[in-house]
Amino acid sequence: MDDFIAARSQMALSLGFHIIFSCIGMVMPFFMAVSHYKWLKTNKEIYKDLTKAWSKGVAIFFATGAVSGTMLSFELGLLWPKFMEHAGPIFGMPFSLEGTAFFIEAIALGFFLYGWNKLNKWFHWFTGMVVGVSGLASGILVVAANAWMNSPAGFDFVNGQYLNIDPIQAMFNKAWFTQALHMCLAAFTATGFAVAGVHALMILRNRNKEFHLKAFKIAATFACIGALLQPLSGDISAKDVAKRQPAKLAAMEALYQTEQPAPLLIGGIVNEKDKTVKGAIKVPGALSFLAHGDFKAEVKGLDQIPEADQPPVAITHYAFQIMVGIGTLLMLISIVYFILVFRKKPLQDKPWLLRLFVWAIPLGYVALEAGWVVTEVGRQPWIIYGIMRTKDAVTPMPGVVYSFYIFSAIYVSLSIIVVFLLYRQIKMVPVLYNQSETSRS
């Protein structure tokens, strides 16, 4: 492994772990706020117990997200100094604002965790909402910075110089809204299905069914709403990518030849050497419609992209297929869930539905990771699209491969610790709940 591949691998590994920690950390507070609100309105202690149980998970992922995010910020400077030298002054604003949002989130979380029976009950609930809103704002700001890499704006590039810098225009570039919307919905969907799946498993094991059923309903509602909205967000994103990054769209669909109309490929094995796709199901005209809103529109293929500017096709295509396939499956589960809810069917009497949610625990995050592979690999060979190539931004420092091994060990260790803490927390829930029930009786 050479230093360039090691640098890219380290960044991919760091981002892959951080995205899970950060998504849980920015979505779970909203679950917590809903259960807290239900306790305040109904005075049912079970919702208070649920809020306290979830708040411990929020604290765990806030800490791990802070650690992994800090490591990522250092890696940007250490691994990609040329990129930060030129890009830092341009897209530094969203990062600085993200730091402010993180600061607010930390303060609000402190108020919430230690404010039980000390603060006004509605102000206490409000601090929990601030944790969620500030965490969501942090995620949107970071995505805005990444969107700038896909859609550079806020400067003039003249003779290798970055002139007339406008940080506001850079932050609100043409890609920020579509990426932020798609990412936020993905975070709610993935985290919602994971949390709902854990509680569904506890229901199936007949452990404090009332407690876990209420938790399941809150998480599943967020997850299923997100899953049903995600295709709309995906359609907006596809049309945006078709305009700004035709090479990425062509790689996503393994479209080697420009076609009019262009079919949508489902599955298929990519042969990058022969530039062919075998075994794919073709939906005539569907790609033209998704890209341009017209079943007869022309879609630009890789044959119109210089070879040196083409992204890796196989990885991008497979990741896109995984993302769309899982998204479709979660959408179908969501439809079934809402049908049962609207028909007022008791969910605890539907073990097959609960098992679907258990099986779906990892799927949202697999789709989330696949989506980021599409975003990042599909942009290659550019680190700033059309402006700076990734190979020109990497550090000249030797020995990056050893850094990759060290960081890999750190992230694996961190993940093991997080899993252990969460497992311990889940095992403690029945004990805490039974103690609460005893004290109330």
Side-chain angles (χ1 to χ4, degrees), residues 248 250-256 267-273 275-277 302 310-322 373-374 377-378:
K248 178 184 288 188
M252 287 160 57
E253 281 296 322
L255 187 67
Y256 282 104
I269 305 299
V270 177
N271 187 324
E272 291 188 310
K273 184 178 180 180
K275 298 183 178 182
T276 59
V277 182
L302 290 168
Q310 294 181 11
V313 178
I315 296 176
T316 308
H317 177 70
Y318 295 144
F320 180 67
Q321 295 293 311
I322 291 171
V373 169
V374 172
V377 177

Side-chain angles (χ1 to χ4, degrees), residues 1-16 72 75 79-80 311-312 315-316 373 375-383 389-391 394-395 400-401 404:
M1 183 186 297
D2 60 29
D3 288 337
F4 176 59
I5 297 299
R8 288 188 61 188
S9 300
Q10 181 175 324
M11 203 70 197
L13 178 78
S14 302
L15 181 61
L72 266 174
E75 287 177 8
L79 299 177
W80 313 102
I315 296 176
T316 308
V373 169
T375 299
E376 297 302 297
V377 177
R379 188 182 61 243
Q380 299 307 313
W382 307 100
I383 191 168
R389 294 182 183 272
T390 307
K391 65 179 182 180
V394 72
T395 177
V400 177
V401 64
F404 168 63

Side-chain angles (χ1 to χ4, degrees), residues 244-363:
R244 296 183 298 97
Q245 295 176 294
K248 178 184 288 188
L249 180 68
M252 287 160 57
E253 281 296 322
L255 187 67
Y256 282 104
Q257 300 295 324
T258 301
E259 295 191 42
Q260 182 184 8
L264 181 72
L265 299 188
I266 301 176
I269 305 299
V270 177
N271 187 324
E272 291 188 310
K273 184 178 180 180
D274 297 337
K275 298 183 178 182
T276 59
V277 182
K278 296 181 179 179
I281 299 173
K282 294 186 178 183
V283 183
L287 181 58
S288 295
F289 179 77
L290 289 174
H292 302 292
D294 181 356
F295 283 102
K296 297 181 179 180
E298 179 182 276
V299 179
K300 190 175 183 180
L302 290 168
D303 58 323
Q304 295 190 26
I305 309 294
E307 191 93 17
D309 296 342
Q310 294 181 11
V313 178
I315 296 176
T316 308
H317 177 70
Y318 295 144
F320 180 67
Q321 295 293 311
I322 291 171
M323 179 185 69
V324 173
I326 292 177
T328 302
L329 176 61
L330 297 183
M331 182 182 68
L332 294 175
I333 295 175
S334 302
I335 292 173
V336 172
Y337 172 79
F338 280 124
I339 289 175
L340 293 175
V341 169
F342 290 138
R343 294 177 63 184
K344 297 183 180 180
K345 299 292 184 180
L347 300 178
Q348 65 270 28
D349 296 337
K350 304 292 181 183
W352 58 269
L353 176 69
L354 297 174
R355 290 192 185 95
L356 283 178
F357 275 88
V358 173
W359 294 334
I361 288 175
L363 294 183

